[in-house]
Amino acid sequence: MPITELLFRLIREGDSVIDAGANMGYMTCVMAYLAGTTGRVDAFEPHPALAQRLRKNVGLLRQCRPDATSVNIHEEGLSTCDGQAFLESGPDFAKNQGTSQLTLQQSDSNGVQVTVRTLDQAIGSREIAVLKLDVEGHETAVLLGAENALRRKAIRHVIFENHDGPNSRPVSILSDYGYDVVEIGWTISRLIFGGAGSARLSKRFEAPNYLATIDLKSVRATADQESGWRCLRSGVHRTGSLRNGLVAGI
């Protein structure tokens, strides 16, 4: 829920946002709801089976929430270069379908060849409000493929999963481009943010998530000025869009 809440605080109607590692589309649907009819959502999911379910869930969203923006679904991955890569599911995929990993060289006989491109190529000259990045260890490669966008601060906020702590390569890359990086945490009543070098905020049962932003002051202000959970008050989690999405496997 903390990531959902942070999306509610950061995305405004009309924003362009990217979901990298969309899986079956829960975050994609939240983004589309928040961006409204005038926004744009690009969802990247290279796994063929997951991309098919993503399309189904986005279709359900459009039926139930016509005020949500349309979603551009890209059945491809993001990496350091344009071309081909291999998506390896591993032994735990049946239990957790969010565990597939991209590699540029095939090492698993069950790997699926997929198309990849750089984030710079995907963004072009656009401005992106939020990039959600959850690509199972391929985050560094995605960021290395976003050199131009990061240099010109074309991405305002990056939300990314990071198991390697404040000294990780993704944190280093984003910091080098002038982004402030903080860990995302929560209490029963609010979001909280810690410095990248502070004690871990995520709970033992959670994957640690970080926020890199060019406007940390405003992000902290929106959390400090209003406690509670906008995502719960909105009632969106009770609408048919996300209920039906859960049936479809989100």
Side-chain angles (χ1 to χ4, degrees):
M1 191 166 69
I3 303 306
T4 303
E5 179 64 20
L6 186 55
L7 293 176
F8 267 75
R9 305 282 176 138
L10 297 181
I11 298 175
R12 300 289 180 266
E13 179 153 356
D15 279 345
S16 290
V17 297
I18 293 176
D19 189 356
N23 200 272
M24 292 176 280
Y26 170 75
M27 293 295 179
T28 301
C29 290
V30 171
M31 289 172 151
Y33 167 78
L34 295 169
T37 55
T38 59
R40 172 172 172 172
V41 177
D42 287 275
F44 290 84
E45 177 48 60
H47 195 286
L50 297 182
Q52 182 178 8
R53 192 163 302 174
L54 171 63
R55 291 188 185 93
K56 180 178 180 180
N57 287 324
V58 168
L60 289 169
L61 175 72
R62 292 293 294 166
Q63 292 175 23
C64 300
R65 299 294 312 210
D67 55 336
T69 191
S70 58
V71 176
N72 302 303
I73 296 174
H74 308 273
E75 192 175 323
E76 57 190 3
L78 294 167
S79 194
T80 55
C81 59
D82 299 339
Q84 301 294 311
F86 296 92
L87 190 65
E88 299 179 354
S89 297
D92 296 326
F93 182 76
K95 297 179 182 178
N96 182 353
Q97 296 186 352
T99 57
S100 296
Q101 293 182 314
L102 272 176
T103 176
L104 297 181
Q105 293 185 337
Q106 187 174 17
S107 59
D108 184 343
S109 60
N110 295 320
V112 178
Q113 190 171 28
V114 297
T115 299
V116 294
R117 59 170 157 159
T118 66
L119 198 52
D120 275 336
Q121 196 277 337
I123 292 174
S125 61
R126 293 187 294 138
E127 301 290 322
I128 303 300
V130 175
L131 164 66
K132 189 230 82 182
L133 181 59
D134 183 1
V135 290
E136 297 301 309
H138 207 66
E139 285 81 6
T140 294
V142 175
L143 294 173
L144 289 174
E147 178 182 3
N148 292 334
L150 294 175
R151 179 180 292 115
R152 65 185 181 88
K153 303 295 191 301
I155 307 171
R156 195 180 312 147
H157 310 289
V158 183
I159 300 170
F160 63 104
E161 188 173 295
N162 176 36
H163 291 271
D164 296 327
N167 296 318
S168 69
R169 184 74 172 118
V171 170
S172 175
I173 292 170
L174 290 160
S175 297
D176 287 347
Y177 280 110
Y179 285 77
D180 290 311
V181 184
V182 294
E183 189 180 2
I184 303 163
W186 59 279
T187 67
I188 193 66
S189 62
R190 64 187 303 132
L191 284 173
I192 56 175
F193 301 101
S198 64
R200 176 172 169 167
L201 296 181
S202 57
K203 311 297 189 283
R204 290 183 179 180
F205 54 84
E206 294 177 320
N209 285 280
Y210 286 71
L211 169 69
T213 178
I214 62 173
D215 193 3
L216 182 58
K217 183 178 180 180
S218 294
V219 172
R220 289 192 182 278
T222 190
D224 292 341
Q225 291 169 3
E226 180 188 350
S227 60
W229 301 91
R230 288 185 191 176
C231 62
L232 296 181
R233 291 196 296 269
S234 74
V236 66
H237 61 292
R238 296 191 296 272
T239 65
S241 56
L242 296 189
R243 265 204 318 271
N244 289 339
L246 287 168
V247 171
I250 293 178

